[in-house]
Structures are given as structure tokens and as C-alpha cells.
Amino acid sequence: MAKKALITGITGQDGSYLGELLLEKGYEVHGMVRRSSVEKFDRISHLRDRVKLHQADLLDQLSIINLVREVRPNEIYNLAAQSFVPTSWEQPLLTGEFTALGVTRMLEAVRLVDRGIRFYQASSSEMFGKVRESPQNEETPLYPRSPYGVAKVYGHFITVNYRESYDIFAVSGILFNHESPRRGLEFVTRKVSDGVARIKLGLQDKLVLGNLDAERDWGFAGDYVKAMWLMLTHDKPENFVVGSGQSHSVRQLCEVAFDRVGLNWEDHVQYDSEFVRPAEVEHLCADASKAKQVLGWQQEVSFEGLVQMMVDADLVRLRQEGSS
């Protein structure tokens, strides 16, 4: 019989790539979606007839228990969260409800319905925040610098706590920034790739950004969801850092993106302090040696390849929109 997986956040970037991967591997895939007045399933439109969607909400414990009881999955991937860091300053309480307590509600459902379910929690490199050492690995002390990062630390440790308290196969994947053409337009990589495509096509002239010196360890989301699956199918539950091991600045991101379309980034990028965070995470860089050695995980798409892929996809999209 096919294994069953339940993905929260299936309509997001990671959920769509993970859904594809699990379908390829013969899983029966179920997705949890929130009831909203505007349904946005564009990232999984190509999967709609192959996945089963269910309504439930991370803020509603009973809806989660009922969903887990109905589906009886072998694996749960908890990817749903309020995931945009700047919004977490605007809505710190809601971020805590979704991104911290939402994890506890999912784990409670596993504890109450079936402790044999394997549980993946999407932890984040934002937990390292004001980094104590570089590169960062599974033992690096955490020092989050945003309400989002703080909420992710709670979600991370409550997962460990349920693993140790209730003998649940629960793992945390500490994923560094991972991007794709499906990334939301509010994230800096997609803001750059979309802006570059618009400037190339004459739809806008300037790209306005905040801190150009902020450095991140960026990789391709399609590579990173493979690590999630490897963690849950590993023989014992452990936490893993997943990242490329290379840091790049927002400035370098701009250089590669504008190079792709034959333009000089300095002619088009404007700085605006409005886009600088109250507390910045300056330098993130992953040490993913454990994931490589223990899980056999490998990154396939380079930073340059990722940026070029995103710019190319936005050019195609905007040309199609222009001709329709």
C-alpha cells in the first residue's frame, strides 16, 4: 500500500516542490489548506488532480486532530507558518500563534491520534540570528533577531521535547534560505528577479532595496525538500542543518541577476532605509556536513544557477502576461 503524507502549507513554495517529490516516490499526498475568501492554489495547480486537499487551520486544535484522524498519514510535514520575517514585526502575536503554537497543535494531534506518525518540523536559519559562530551547524547556539526567529525557536524545541517526552519520530530541519521561481514576490530574491525582468522588458526603471550588505546562504527549494524526505525516512529522528555552505550578499544577488539580462545593476538599484529590518541578521552560512554524511544529501543547483533560473522564469511569465 502506498505511504500517505500530509503536508501543511502545501500551497506554498516548499509544499509544492515536496508534493511533486512525494508523488514521484509513489506516495498518496494530502494537503492541509486554510479556508480563505480568496483561494490561491496557483503553485500546485499542476498537482490538483493528484493530491487531496483538506480544510483545517493551525489556530484550531480540533480541526487538526480531526484531519489527522481522517487521513491517518504515515508522515506529516509541517511547513505552514507565517513565514515572512518583516511581517513578524507588524504581527508578532499572530506569528507566534502560527509559527510557534501551531507546531504544538500539530504535535498534540500526533500524540493523541497515533504516535507512530513521523513528523517533520520546518525550522529556520533565522533561529541563529546574531550568529555566535560561522558557519552554523546543529550545535550552534541560537540567538533569533525577529519575532519570526523567536517563534521558530519555540517550534524547534517543542519538536525536540515531544520526541524526547513521548517517543515520537519528530525531526527539525534547520533549512537555510531556499528560493525558486515559486517564491513569493515579497522575498528579496524574487523581488530582485521580478524587478530585473520588469526593467529588462521596459516595465519599470528602478529596483528599490534595503541592506545590500546582508548575507544569506541561498539554495534551490527543489533540492532542499529532498532533505526533508531523507530526514523522515532516516532510521532515527535527528535534527539537520541544510544549506549550501556559501554566503552571498544582496549586492551579489543583484549583480548575477542583472548580468543575466546584460544590464549593470548599479544603474538600476536604489537604496531605501524603509526596507531595513529593526534588527538585522547580517551573516548566515550553513555547515551541512552532517546532512551530507548521514543522509547523503547533495545540493544540485548553484547560487548562480538559481538566480538565473528565477530571472528567466520571471521574463517568461511577464512576456506571457503582456501578450495575453
Side-chain angles (χ1 to χ4, degrees):
M1 238 172 78
K3 273 189 180 177
K4 284 189 205 173
L6 172 62
I7 304 171
T8 76
I10 193 168
T11 59
Q13 169 189 258
D14 294 7
S16 67
Y17 282 108
L18 179 62
E20 286 175 1
L21 176 73
L22 295 178
L23 286 168
E24 276 172 27
K25 296 191 176 295
Y27 280 69
E28 181 182 309
V29 177
H30 296 257
M32 182 178 115
V33 294
R34 289 166 64 207
R35 173 80 186 93
S36 65
S37 53
V38 181
E39 293 193 330
K40 291 195 70 177
F41 297 147
D42 47 329
R43 289 191 186 94
I44 57 164
S45 56
H46 61 300
L47 306 177
R48 276 304 296 277
D49 57 346
R50 299 170 64 203
V51 302
K52 296 177 183 174
L53 300 182
H54 308 262
Q55 285 188 1
D57 198 305
L58 282 182
L59 304 187
D60 181 2
Q61 180 72 73
L62 191 58
S63 72
I64 296 168
I65 292 170
N66 287 338
L67 172 57
V68 173
R69 196 173 276 147
E70 178 192 345
V71 174
R72 291 282 175 161
N74 304 95
E75 300 167 6
I76 291 176
Y77 295 85
N78 186 41
L79 311 185
Q82 191 299 99
S83 62
F84 188 46
V85 176
T87 299
S88 74
W89 274 285
E90 305 291 329
Q91 300 181 327
L93 296 175
L94 189 66
T95 299
E97 285 285 353
F98 276 117
T99 308
L101 293 177
V103 186
T104 316
R105 293 186 191 103
M106 293 301 302
L107 286 161
E108 271 293 278
V110 171
R111 182 181 75 82
L112 292 167
V113 176
D114 178 3
R115 295 187 189 184
I117 295 170
R118 294 190 168 203
F119 181 84
Y120 173 86
Q121 167 57 15
S123 287
S124 165
S125 58
E126 287 283 332
M127 301 190 307
F128 295 122
K130 194 173 182 179
V131 296
R132 305 300 189 86
E133 62 186 24
S134 202
Q136 297 91 45
N137 63 28
E138 294 78 8
E139 307 303 319
T140 301
L142 307 177
Y143 193 145
R145 296 270 281 171
S146 66
Y148 170 78
V150 172
K152 278 292 185 186
V153 169
Y154 176 98
H156 177 75
F157 279 118
I158 202 70
T159 301
V160 174
N161 186 257
Y162 271 67
R163 176 168 78 216
E164 295 175 350
S165 304
Y166 302 115
D167 196 28
I168 292 170
F169 192 110
V171 302
S172 277
I174 306 172
L175 271 54
F176 280 64
N177 293 62
H178 45 288
E179 319 295 315
S180 75
R182 299 179 196 169
R183 192 57 146 151
L185 284 163
E186 68 271 24
F187 291 87
V188 69
T189 46
R190 187 69 197 291
K191 184 177 176 182
V192 168
S193 67
D194 177 70
V196 166
R198 286 178 183 280
I199 289 166
K200 179 63 178 176
L201 297 175
L203 299 172
Q204 71 185 53
D205 186 44
K206 296 292 181 193
L207 176 61
V208 183
L209 297 170
N211 183 4
L212 297 176
D213 296 317
E215 292 189 359
R216 294 289 183 275
D217 182 330
W218 279 299
F220 173 51
D223 289 342
Y224 286 37
V225 298
K226 289 176 192 159
M228 300 176 184
W229 176 74
L230 288 168
M231 284 178 224
L232 270 203
T233 52
H234 186 48
D235 53 7
K236 64 175 186 176
E238 298 180 68
N239 301 335
F240 291 91
V241 161
V242 177
S244 75
Q246 295 183 324
S247 275
H248 295 92
S249 66
V250 176
R251 184 177 281 103
Q252 288 171 298
L253 168 67
C254 291
E255 284 174 17
V256 175
F258 278 98
D259 270 356
R260 183 64 171 174
V261 296
L263 296 172
N264 179 357
W265 73 275
E266 290 174 296
D267 295 337
H268 300 281
V269 173
Q270 278 184 346
Y271 169 80
D272 188 335
S273 60
E274 181 198 337
F275 294 107
V276 177
R277 298 176 179 184
E280 179 60 271
V281 177
E282 295 290 349
H283 186 86
L284 291 174
C285 186
D287 172 5
S289 49
K290 180 184 172 187
K292 289 174 180 173
Q293 288 160 11
V294 176
L295 301 176
W297 177 77
Q298 285 297 330
Q299 179 193 12
E300 293 174 25
V301 179
S302 68
F303 170 72
E304 288 77 14
L306 168 69
V307 178
Q308 291 166 357
M309 175 203 303
M310 291 177 68
V311 171
D312 291 352
D314 277 323
L315 281 168
V316 169
R317 177 183 59 86
L318 289 165
R319 284 189 178 118
Q320 285 173 345
E321 286 176 7
S323 62
S324 62

